[in-house]
Amino acid sequence: GAVVSQHPSRVICKSGTSVKIECRSLDFQATTMFWYRQFPKQSLMLMATSNEGSKATYEQGVEKDKFLINHASLTLSTLTVTSAHPEDSSFYICSARQNKETQYFGPGTRLLVL
Amino acid sequence: EDKVVQSPLSLVVHEGDTVTLNCSYEVTNFRSLLWYKQEKKAPTFLFMLTSSGIEKKSGRLSSILDKKELFSILNITATQTGDSAVYLCAVGGGTASKLTFGTGTRLQVTL
């Protein structure tokens, strides 16, 4: 299957700082990438759809000014959590769409805000 | 609103048993149903189903879709401890590329 990487895998930061997470498709080009959030023992919740060269589409209830998404190339999307607070602590996972339907997931980034 | 319901929520079996995991859905303009396995990190892709009645198989895992009754099953035969994971069902529908995920079935295989 296709390979998607995420960096960093784990980050601990102080409240009020910003954190950038990168998602890369390593062996294919992805015009669309997705950002999910997962709380312990819960399923994946879609936060936003990232489209190369255009603005991201955010799901209802997700603050676009807090979760900044940039999809500058066909292999890279970034999610920046701005002014992070402890309630933003979560597991953030990106996926990249290889063909019409199949999404391949990155390994995830565990964020802990102190 | 699109909805995906998985059952059971959790399951404990002995190694060697066969298990069947269920996924039912309500989605506008169904396009595909996908199964993923999630261990400690992000989900890994198992199957994508788009047509009714055609079984997809990979080793001890198989899956089939019923578009009339709006459900899919994932079968695992001769389970091993390495099959212990959360199995996620996701459905793609509508015009966007989005997937709607179920809450998952947590499978534990014991010796």
Side-chain angles (χ1 to χ4, degrees), chain B residues 47-64:
Chain B
F47 298 112
M48 183 179 78
L49 303 155
T50 55
S51 302
S52 266
I54 299 173
E55 186 184 51
K56 292 237 174 159
K57 208 166 162 61
S58 176
R60 295 176 295 104
L61 276 67
S62 64
S63 182
I64 198 159

Side-chain angles (χ1 to χ4, degrees), chain A residues 32 34 36 38 41-44 46 49 59 91 93 97 99-108 110, chain B residues 6 31-32 34 36 38 40-45 48 50 88 92-93 97-99 101-104 106:
Chain A
T32 306
F34 302 87
Y36 295 84
Q38 187 176 35
K41 297 193 177 179
Q42 292 189 25
S43 193
L44 283 76
L46 179 65
T49 303
E59 294 301 298
F91 189 49
I93 311 173
R97 189 165 61 104
N99 54 37
K100 269 193 173 177
E101 305 298 339
T102 310
Q103 292 182 27
Y104 291 92
F105 287 86
R110 199 164 294 283
Chain B
Q6 289 185 248
R31 296 195 319 275
S32 61
L34 294 87
Y36 289 89
Q38 185 175 25
K40 289 183 181 172
K41 291 198 171 179
T44 53
F45 173 76
M48 183 179 78
T50 55
L88 295 166
S97 314
K98 301 191 294 189
L99 293 177
F101 280 84
T103 50
R106 185 173 296 273

Side-chain angles (χ1 to χ4, degrees), chain A residues 45-106:
Chain A
M45 295 298 296
L46 179 65
M47 297 174 67
T49 303
S50 168
N51 299 297
E52 188 265 337
S54 64
K55 288 185 181 179
T57 306
Y58 290 82
E59 294 301 298
Q60 198 171 6
V62 178
E63 297 174 58
K64 62 180 180 182
D65 294 330
K66 180 162 184 67
F67 298 100
L68 299 177
I69 290 171
N70 185 282
H71 193 156
S73 79
L74 286 171
T75 58
L76 173 65
S77 175
T78 60
L79 168 70
T80 301
V81 183
T82 61
S83 187
H85 290 287
E87 58 265 30
D88 298 325
S89 299
S90 190
F91 189 49
Y92 291 87
I93 311 173
C94 74
S95 71
R97 189 165 61 104
Q98 184 189 35
N99 54 37
K100 269 193 173 177
E101 305 298 339
T102 310
Q103 292 182 27
Y104 291 92
F105 287 86

Side-chain angles (χ1 to χ4, degrees), chain B residues 1-100:
Chain B
E1 189 183 323
D2 296 344
K3 201 161 77 168
V4 179
V5 178
Q6 289 185 248
S7 65
L9 289 180
S10 67
L11 191 56
V12 180
V13 300
H14 292 298
E15 205 172 39
D17 288 350
T18 293
V19 297
T20 298
L21 310 182
N22 303 293
C23 175
S24 63
Y25 62 89
E26 291 174 27
V27 64
T28 307
N29 298 325
F30 172 89
R31 296 195 319 275
S32 61
L33 185 146
L34 294 87
W35 284 96
Y36 289 89
K37 176 182 181 182
Q38 185 175 25
E39 296 173 86
K40 289 183 181 172
K41 291 198 171 179
T44 53
F45 173 76
L46 295 175
F47 298 112
M48 183 179 78
L49 303 155
T50 55
S51 302
S52 266
I54 299 173
E55 186 184 51
K56 292 237 174 159
K57 208 166 162 61
S58 176
R60 295 176 295 104
L61 276 67
S62 64
S63 182
I64 198 159
L65 173 68
D66 186 329
K67 286 166 77 172
K68 188 179 171 189
E69 299 297 328
L70 308 183
F71 80 92
S72 173
I73 59 171
L74 175 68
N75 274 325
I76 309 175
T77 58
T79 51
Q80 301 171 357
T81 54
D83 296 326
S84 297
V86 174
Y87 289 84
L88 295 166
C89 172
V91 176
T95 53
S97 314
K98 301 191 294 189
L99 293 177
T100 301

